[in-house]
Amino acid sequence: MSKSKYVSVLIACLIMLTTTFSTPVQAVWTQEASIVGKVVDEDGNALSKVKIEVYTSGGSLFRVAHTDLEGYFGVYHLPMDIFTLNFTKKGYVDKLIFVETDGRTKVDLGEVELRKALKLVSSVVSLVASPGDKLLLPFTLTNIGDDREVVEFLVSAPDRWSTRILSQIGEVNTVSLEPHSTLNLQLEVKIPITSVGENSLSLTALSDTNSTFDFTITVKQLEESILSC
């Protein structure tokens, strides 16, 4: 083989080796960053249709994504920057997460929890009452979100038990709750004269999300009711 032909073959081999070994390394370093995760509620249930707004460090809206039916989301093709992710869903409290990307690495946020805007709480968990008693069970309804909530009430009670929701001005079926406000109400319960034993009663506040509180009422032949807080 002549010297010139040998040099040509050597150069061709070097080019092939350079192409073979440099391509995978170049692909790793030129891939773009992504942010993935799953959105759940306080009970660990997946939340679909959660809106995720992605803002750059300069405050510009870069991209909008949504969770799927199983709560998963992905934001792809992100350059190097510090991004702000704003998670929003009607009936839930907005959540901000800051994520720094290096332009090439996937960031897995794991589970992102959103809290319900409505909180239903009572100081009375269980009580003992007598047949024929009329009870007033106090409870508070709080809106910790940033939007006004229109709330309806649903009471699940034993057969023939009579219930209604009372405010300071009388019976209510629906209330309007401003952001970051609390309303004090009472659940009136009338126990039939024939009722005895342990009974369960549920109060639910219905809006874009539901909040439920359960009471246990034990009916005995007593002269007066005893409340347990």
Side-chain angles (χ1 to χ4, degrees):
M1 180 183 294
S2 65
K3 184 176 179 180
S4 60
K5 184 177 291 186
Y6 175 80
V7 172
S8 299
V9 173
L10 181 60
I11 292 174
C13 290
L14 288 173
I15 292 174
M16 290 178 63
L17 287 171
T18 302
T19 303
T20 302
F21 288 101
S22 65
T23 301
V25 176
Q26 185 179 7
V28 171
W29 283 89
T30 57
Q31 68 180 355
E32 295 176 303
S34 61
I35 303 173
V36 299
K38 181 180 182 180
V39 183
V40 298
D41 64 11
E42 295 151 294
D43 299 318
N45 301 312
L47 293 179
S48 63
K49 298 182 180 179
V50 176
K51 183 178 181 181
I52 305 145
E53 297 172 315
V54 183
Y55 293 89
T56 66
S57 57
S60 300
L61 179 61
F62 184 80
R63 188 166 292 129
V64 176
H66 295 83
T67 57
D68 62 17
L69 293 176
E70 296 180 343
Y72 291 100
F73 69 92
V75 185
Y76 304 99
H77 309 301
L78 297 171
M80 182 184 297
D81 200 354
I82 299 176
F83 291 95
T84 301
L85 276 62
N86 183 29
F87 295 81
T88 61
K89 183 178 175 66
K90 200 168 184 182
Y92 292 84
V93 180
D94 296 354
K95 187 165 190 173
L96 295 177
I97 294 181
F98 301 94
V99 181
E100 183 174 1
T101 62
D102 58 10
R104 62 180 183 274
T105 305
K106 180 174 74 173
V107 179
D108 190 346
L109 298 179
E111 290 190 348
V112 177
E113 182 183 292
L114 295 188
R115 296 184 298 161
K116 292 181 180 180
L118 286 180
K119 299 294 180 183
L120 184 62
V121 178
S122 176
S123 59
V124 176
V125 177
S126 62
L127 56 87
V128 177
S130 299
D133 277 356
K134 181 172 74 174
L135 310 174
L136 292 176
L137 308 180
F139 68 93
T140 60
L141 185 64
T142 304
N143 179 9
I144 64 174
D146 296 321
D147 299 314
R148 184 173 66 90
E149 296 284 344
V150 177
V151 184
E152 296 182 7
F153 295 103
L154 174 66
V155 180
S156 177
D159 189 32
R160 296 189 301 275
W161 287 40
S162 174
T163 63
R164 60 177 183 161
I165 307 297
L166 300 177
S167 69
Q168 293 181 346
I169 59 175
E171 182 178 1
V172 295
N173 295 312
T174 304
V175 297
S176 178
L177 207 56
E178 296 299 321
H180 307 289
S181 63
T182 297
L183 187 62
N184 294 313
L185 299 166
Q186 290 179 315
L187 172 60
E188 181 186 87
V189 180
K190 293 182 180 179
I191 303 174
I193 195 68
T194 56
S195 292
V196 292
E198 185 173 288
N199 300 270
S200 297
L201 187 147
S202 295
L203 170 65
T204 301
L206 303 172
S207 187
D208 294 302
T209 59
N210 300 338
S211 181
T212 300
F213 193 90
D214 296 321
F215 301 91
T216 299
I217 302 175
T218 303
V219 182
K220 294 182 178 180
Q221 294 291 344
L222 300 175
E223 295 182 359
E224 58 183 4
S225 300
I226 304 173
L227 273 68
S228 174
C229 303

